[in-house]
Amino acid sequence: MNGKVEICGVNTSKLKVLKSEEMTELLRRVKRGDQQARQEMIEGNLRLVLSVIQRFAGRGENMDDLFQVGCIGLVKAVDRFDCDQFEVKFSTYGVPLILGEVRRFLRDSSALRVSRSMRDMAYRVLQTREEFTREHQREPSLDEIAKILELKREDVVFAMDAISDPVSLYEPIYSDGGDTVCVMDQVKDEKNNDEHWLEHLALRDAMERLPERERHILELRFYQGKTQMEVSAEVGISQAQVSRLEKSAIGQIRKNIS
């Protein structure tokens, strides 16, 4: 069948799409306890689950598993949504719940181990965020979450960071049909930048200008990590001479670099 894509045995090309009026009527019936309307509402929003799990495509995860987990979030959204109370579209309310279920599943099945206390704190943060979003129709700030849970702001940040999904440096973040930009292309390298490279060249050039004995003393001291006593024994001069030659060589290097 052309365009057929199956996930969990469901032909996604034939998934129902509900109109806004149909969705509102079904939600009102769901609120009255109509199980048939509940089933129709869930089946009519499976595309919403698909749109959410596509964010996790390419990570090596089993998409069937993610779809099933996402459906749990969809069911929660259908059961909790009140069209008389909430002034947002069902999709706006449902996506965070679906996304939360998927992320929770990925965290629990992750090979990275997080302490139980940190994980429990993170779950409390997630639950608080979901409840706040449901009540105020917006996501809370970190300060608001910290105040509700009576935690320090940094504790909230640490808890959420601890359960965040690791991202590959080679994961693409942008492509316009040409070269793909990956995460590693956006990470700043404070050490191996052009400025550090030029400084390294200047230092090497300044070292090469030193007399052979002074250069050998600096190599023993700063590249091999030997003490002045060890250098004096190896070179065959006193420690005082080593100290004097070392200071003189360093002064000459600074003069050549500046």
Side-chain angles (χ1 to χ4, degrees):
M1 183 183 302
N2 293 332
K4 178 180 179 181
V5 178
E6 282 198 1
I7 187 165
C8 290
V10 177
N11 181 2
T12 59
S13 66
K14 291 188 175 182
L15 288 177
K16 293 173 59 177
V17 178
L18 296 174
K19 296 181 181 179
S20 178
E21 301 79 18
E22 293 177 310
M23 202 173 299
T24 300
E25 176 58 28
L26 285 173
L27 286 168
R28 294 189 189 281
R29 289 168 55 192
V30 170
K31 188 178 179 181
R32 294 194 296 266
D34 189 328
Q35 293 300 308
Q36 179 60 35
R38 180 175 182 267
Q39 184 66 26
E40 291 181 24
M41 186 66 189
I42 293 171
E43 292 177 355
N45 282 277
L46 291 178
R47 287 184 182 274
L48 193 61
V49 177
L50 283 176
S51 68
V52 171
I53 67 172
Q54 287 303 315
R55 306 183 188 187
F56 303 91
R59 297 191 181 187
E61 301 293 340
N62 187 305
M63 298 303 285
D64 282 6
D65 290 344
L66 297 188
F67 182 75
Q68 293 181 58
V69 172
C71 286
I72 295 174
L74 173 61
V75 171
K76 289 183 178 180
V78 171
D79 290 342
R80 297 176 183 177
F81 190 80
D82 187 341
C83 53
D84 293 329
Q85 179 181 352
F86 300 151
E87 297 179 358
V88 296
K89 295 191 300 183
F90 175 76
S91 59
T92 303
Y93 177 84
V95 167
L97 290 180
I98 297 170
L99 192 58
E101 289 296 325
V102 174
R103 285 177 170 165
R104 188 175 296 116
F105 168 77
L106 292 174
R107 284 192 298 269
D108 290 343
S109 59
S110 173
L112 298 177
R113 291 301 167 204
V114 179
S115 69
R116 177 175 293 275
S117 60
M118 184 67 71
R119 188 167 60 246
D120 290 345
M121 184 187 298
Y123 288 160
R124 288 171 57 204
V125 171
L126 290 174
Q127 183 178 11
T128 300
R129 185 170 65 184
E130 290 179 5
E131 292 174 352
F132 187 99
T133 301
R134 187 165 60 251
E135 181 179 351
H136 298 87
Q137 302 304 305
R138 66 174 179 85
E139 286 201 1
S141 66
L142 291 174
D143 290 327
E144 288 172 326
I145 294 176
K147 183 177 180 179
I148 293 172
L149 294 177
E150 298 182 346
L151 296 172
K152 295 181 180 179
R153 186 179 189 275
E154 51 266 34
D155 290 338
V156 175
V157 174
F158 291 153
M160 296 307 296
D161 284 346
I163 61 173
S164 296
D165 298 326
V167 178
S168 169
L169 289 175
Y170 296 96
E171 181 170 337
I173 57 176
Y174 173 76
S175 177
D176 61 355
D179 293 335
T180 299
V181 178
C182 298
V183 173
M184 67 182 304
D185 298 321
Q186 302 297 305
V187 178
K188 184 176 181 181
D189 188 344
E190 298 287 355
K191 181 178 180 180
N192 297 310
N193 52 31
D194 290 341
E195 183 178 351
H196 182 271
W197 182 65
L198 290 174
E199 289 178 354
H200 178 73
L201 290 179
L203 177 60
R204 186 175 67 180
D205 181 66
M207 285 279 290
E208 290 177 351
R209 295 184 187 183
L210 294 174
E212 183 177 351
R213 185 167 64 170
E214 280 85 338
R215 184 168 64 249
H216 183 49
I217 288 173
L218 291 187
E219 288 174 349
L220 293 173
R221 285 280 290 128
F222 299 106
Y223 287 87
Q224 298 184 25
K226 295 188 176 182
T227 66
Q228 289 185 348
M229 285 291 292
E230 291 173 329
V231 173
S232 67
E234 181 168 334
V235 177
I237 58 177
S238 67
Q239 180 183 353
Q241 288 178 297
V242 170
S243 177
R244 180 175 56 80
L245 291 172
E246 179 184 314
K247 291 179 181 178
S248 175
I250 292 175
Q252 188 62 36
I253 288 176
R254 287 173 175 169
K255 180 180 178 181
N256 291 335
I257 291 179
S258 61

